[in-house]
Coordinates of all heavy atoms in Angstrom, one line a residue:
E1 N -42.0 -13.4 19.2 CA -43.4 -13.7 19.2 C -44.1 -13.8 20.6 O -45.3 -13.6 20.8 CB -43.7 -14.9 18.4 CG -43.3 -14.8 16.9 CD -43.8 -16.0 16.1 OE1 -44.7 -16.7 16.5 OE2 -43.3 -16.1 15.0
C2 N -43.3 -14.2 21.6 CA -43.8 -14.5 23.0 C -43.2 -13.7 24.1 O -43.6 -13.7 25.2 CB -43.7 -16.0 23.3 SG -44.4 -17.1 22.2
N3 N -42.1 -12.9 23.7 CA -41.4 -12.1 24.7 C -40.9 -13.0 25.8 O -40.8 -12.6 27.0 CB -42.3 -11.0 25.3 CG -41.5 -9.9 26.0 OD1 -40.4 -9.6 25.6 ND2 -42.1 -9.4 27.1
V4 N -40.4 -14.2 25.5 CA -39.8 -15.1 26.4 C -38.4 -15.4 26.0 O -38.1 -15.7 24.8 CB -40.6 -16.4 26.5 CG1 -39.9 -17.5 27.3 CG2 -42.0 -16.2 27.0
I5 N -37.5 -15.3 27.0 CA -36.1 -15.6 26.7 C -35.8 -17.0 27.0 O -35.8 -17.5 28.1 CB -35.2 -14.7 27.6 CG1 -35.5 -13.2 27.3 CG2 -33.7 -15.0 27.3 CD1 -34.8 -12.3 28.3
L6 N -35.4 -17.8 25.9 CA -35.0 -19.2 26.1 C -33.5 -19.2 26.3 O -32.7 -19.0 25.4 CB -35.4 -20.0 24.9 CG -36.9 -20.4 24.8 CD1 -37.1 -21.2 23.5 CD2 -37.4 -21.1 26.0
T7 N -33.0 -19.3 27.5 CA -31.6 -19.3 27.8 C -30.9 -20.5 27.3 O -29.7 -20.5 27.2 CB -31.3 -19.1 29.3 OG1 -32.0 -20.1 30.0 CG2 -31.9 -17.7 29.8
A8 N -31.6 -21.6 27.1 CA -31.0 -22.8 26.7 C -32.0 -23.6 25.8 O -33.2 -23.7 26.2 CB -30.6 -23.7 27.9
V9 N -31.5 -24.2 24.7 CA -32.3 -25.1 23.9 C -31.5 -26.4 23.9 O -30.5 -26.5 23.2 CB -32.6 -24.6 22.5 CG1 -33.4 -25.6 21.7 CG2 -33.3 -23.3 22.6
S10 N -31.9 -27.4 24.7 CA -31.2 -28.7 24.8 C -31.6 -29.6 23.7 O -32.7 -29.5 23.2 CB -31.3 -29.3 26.2 OG -30.9 -28.4 27.2
I11 N -30.7 -30.6 23.4 CA -31.0 -31.5 22.3 C -31.2 -32.9 22.7 O -30.4 -33.5 23.5 CB -29.7 -31.4 21.3 CG1 -29.5 -30.0 20.8 CG2 -29.9 -32.4 20.1 CD1 -30.6 -29.4 20.0
Y12 N -32.2 -33.5 22.1 CA -32.4 -35.0 22.1 C -32.1 -35.5 20.7 O -32.6 -34.9 19.7 CB -33.8 -35.4 22.4 CG -34.3 -35.2 23.8 CD1 -35.4 -34.5 24.1 CD2 -33.6 -35.8 24.9 CE1 -35.9 -34.4 25.4 CE2 -34.0 -35.7 26.2 CZ -35.2 -34.9 26.4 OH -35.6 -34.8 27.7
S13 N -31.2 -36.5 20.6 CA -30.9 -37.0 19.3 C -31.9 -38.1 18.9 O -32.2 -39.0 19.6 CB -29.5 -37.6 19.3 OG -29.1 -38.1 18.1
R14 N -32.4 -38.0 17.6 CA -33.4 -39.0 17.2 C -32.7 -39.9 16.1 O -32.1 -39.5 15.2 CB -34.5 -38.2 16.5 CG -35.7 -39.1 16.1 CD -36.9 -38.3 15.5 NE -36.6 -38.0 14.1 CZ -36.4 -36.8 13.7 NH1 -36.4 -35.8 14.5 NH2 -36.2 -36.5 12.4
N15 N -32.9 -41.2 16.4 CA -32.3 -42.2 15.5 C -32.9 -42.1 14.1 O -34.1 -42.1 13.8 CB -32.7 -43.6 16.0 CG -32.0 -44.0 17.3 OD1 -32.6 -44.1 18.3 ND2 -30.7 -44.2 17.2
T16 N -31.9 -42.0 13.1 CA -32.3 -42.0 11.7 C -31.4 -43.0 10.9 O -31.7 -43.3 9.8 CB -32.1 -40.6 11.1 OG1 -30.7 -40.2 11.2 CG2 -33.0 -39.6 11.7
K17 N -30.3 -43.5 11.5 CA -29.4 -44.3 10.8 C -29.5 -45.8 11.2 O -28.7 -46.6 10.8 CB -27.9 -43.8 11.1 CG -27.7 -42.4 10.6 CD -26.3 -42.0 11.0 CE -26.1 -41.7 12.4 NZ -24.8 -41.1 12.8
N18 N -30.5 -46.1 12.1 CA -30.6 -47.4 12.6 C -32.1 -47.9 12.5 O -33.0 -47.4 13.2 CB -30.2 -47.5 14.1 CG -30.1 -48.9 14.7 OD1 -30.7 -49.8 14.1 ND2 -29.4 -49.0 15.8
D19 N -32.3 -48.8 11.6 CA -33.7 -49.3 11.3 C -34.2 -50.1 12.6 O -35.5 -50.0 12.8 CB -33.7 -50.2 10.1 CG -33.4 -49.5 8.8 OD1 -33.6 -48.3 8.8 OD2 -32.9 -50.1 7.9
Q20 N -33.4 -50.7 13.3 CA -33.8 -51.5 14.5 C -34.4 -50.5 15.6 O -35.3 -50.9 16.3 CB -32.6 -52.3 15.1 CG -33.0 -53.2 16.2 CD -31.8 -53.9 16.8 OE1 -30.7 -53.7 16.4 NE2 -32.1 -54.9 17.7
A21 N -33.9 -49.3 15.6 CA -34.3 -48.4 16.6 C -35.8 -48.0 16.5 O -36.4 -47.9 17.6 CB -33.5 -47.1 16.5
S22 N -36.3 -48.0 15.3 CA -37.7 -47.6 15.1 C -38.6 -48.7 15.7 O -39.6 -48.4 16.4 CB -38.0 -47.5 13.6 OG -39.4 -47.2 13.4
E23 N -38.2 -50.0 15.5 CA -39.0 -51.1 16.1 C -38.9 -51.1 17.6 O -40.0 -51.3 18.3 CB -38.5 -52.4 15.5 CG -39.3 -53.6 16.1 CD -38.7 -54.9 15.6 OE1 -37.8 -54.9 14.7 OE2 -39.1 -56.0 16.1
I24 N -37.7 -50.9 18.2 CA -37.6 -50.9 19.6 C -38.4 -49.7 20.2 O -39.0 -49.9 21.3 CB -36.1 -50.7 20.0 CG1 -35.3 -52.0 19.5 CG2 -35.9 -50.5 21.5 CD1 -33.8 -51.8 19.7
R25 N -38.3 -48.6 19.6 CA -39.0 -47.4 20.1 C -40.5 -47.7 20.1 O -41.2 -47.4 21.1 CB -38.8 -46.2 19.2 CG -39.5 -44.9 19.7 CD -39.1 -43.7 18.9 NE -39.7 -42.5 19.4 CZ -39.3 -41.3 19.3 NH1 -38.1 -41.1 18.6 NH2 -39.9 -40.3 19.8
S26 N -41.1 -48.3 19.1 CA -42.5 -48.6 19.0 C -42.9 -49.6 20.1 O -43.9 -49.4 20.8 CB -42.8 -49.2 17.6 OG -44.2 -49.5 17.6
N27 N -42.1 -50.6 20.3 CA -42.4 -51.6 21.3 C -42.4 -51.0 22.7 O -43.3 -51.3 23.6 CB -41.4 -52.8 21.3 CG -41.6 -53.6 20.0 OD1 -42.6 -53.6 19.4 ND2 -40.5 -54.3 19.6
I28 N -41.4 -50.2 23.0 CA -41.3 -49.6 24.3 C -42.4 -48.6 24.6 O -42.9 -48.5 25.7 CB -39.9 -49.0 24.5 CG1 -38.8 -50.1 24.6 CG2 -39.8 -48.1 25.8 CD1 -37.4 -49.5 24.7
T29 N -42.7 -47.8 23.5 CA -43.7 -46.8 23.6 C -45.1 -47.4 24.0 O -45.8 -47.0 24.9 CB -43.9 -46.0 22.3 OG1 -42.7 -45.3 22.0 CG2 -45.0 -45.0 22.5
N30 N -45.4 -48.5 23.3 CA -46.7 -49.2 23.6 C -46.7 -49.7 25.1 O -47.7 -49.7 25.8 CB -46.8 -50.4 22.7 CG -47.1 -50.0 21.3 OD1 -47.6 -48.9 21.1 ND2 -46.8 -50.8 20.3
K31 N -45.5 -50.3 25.5 CA -45.4 -50.8 26.9 C -45.6 -49.7 27.9 O -46.3 -49.7 28.9 CB -44.1 -51.5 27.1 CG -43.9 -52.1 28.5 CD -44.9 -53.2 28.8 CE -44.6 -54.4 28.0 NZ -45.5 -55.6 28.4
V32 N -44.8 -48.6 27.7 CA -44.8 -47.5 28.7 C -46.1 -46.7 28.8 O -46.6 -46.5 29.8 CB -43.7 -46.5 28.3 CG1 -43.8 -45.2 29.1 CG2 -42.3 -47.1 28.5
M33 N -46.7 -46.5 27.6 CA -47.9 -45.7 27.6 C -49.2 -46.5 27.9 O -50.3 -46.0 28.0 CB -48.1 -45.1 26.2 CG -47.0 -44.1 25.8 SD -46.7 -42.8 27.0 CE -48.3 -41.9 27.1
S34 N -49.0 -47.8 28.2 CA -50.1 -48.6 28.7 C -50.4 -48.2 30.2 O -51.4 -48.6 30.7 CB -49.8 -50.1 28.6 OG -48.7 -50.4 29.5
H35 N -49.4 -47.5 30.8 CA -49.7 -47.0 32.2 C -50.4 -45.7 32.1 O -49.9 -44.7 31.6 CB -48.3 -46.8 32.9 CG -47.6 -48.1 33.2 ND1 -47.7 -48.7 34.4 CD2 -46.7 -48.8 32.4 CE1 -46.9 -49.8 34.3 NE2 -46.3 -49.9 33.2
P36 N -51.6 -45.6 32.6 CA -52.4 -44.3 32.5 C -51.7 -43.2 33.3 O -52.0 -42.0 33.0 CB -53.7 -44.7 33.2 CG -53.5 -45.9 34.0 CD -52.4 -46.7 33.3
E37 N -50.8 -43.5 34.3 CA -50.2 -42.4 35.0 C -49.1 -41.8 34.2 O -48.6 -40.6 34.5 CB -49.6 -43.0 36.3 CG -50.5 -43.7 37.2 CD -50.6 -45.2 36.9 OE1 -50.1 -45.6 35.9 OE2 -51.3 -45.9 37.7
V38 N -48.6 -42.4 33.1 CA -47.6 -41.9 32.3 C -48.2 -40.9 31.3 O -49.0 -41.4 30.4 CB -46.7 -43.0 31.6 CG1 -45.7 -42.3 30.7 CG2 -46.1 -43.9 32.6
L39 N -47.9 -39.7 31.3 CA -48.5 -38.7 30.5 C -47.8 -38.5 29.1 O -48.4 -38.2 28.1 CB -48.6 -37.3 31.2 CG -49.3 -37.3 32.5 CD1 -49.2 -35.9 33.1 CD2 -50.7 -37.7 32.4

């Protein structure tokens, strides 16, 4: 569709087996994104 060669597709693993991870992620996201310089 784009005539672009992706030589690599790297993986981030997303927590699905740990309920605590969702809460930690939410707390950290709120803290990190409070910085306007963080896009």
Side-chain angles (χ1 to χ4, degrees):
E1 297 189 17
C2 302
N3 196 33
V4 171
I5 301 171
L6 289 179
T7 56
V9 180
S10 301
I11 302 298
Y12 287 127
S13 181
R14 187 177 79 250
N15 292 108
T16 60
K17 298 178 290 186
N18 186 342
D19 294 336
Q20 186 183 6
S22 178
E23 180 185 350
I24 294 174
R25 178 173 186 156
S26 178
N27 293 338
I28 291 178
T29 299
N30 291 334
K31 178 66 69 175
V32 171
M33 297 309 295
S34 67
H35 292 264
E37 303 90 350
V38 178
L39 303 178

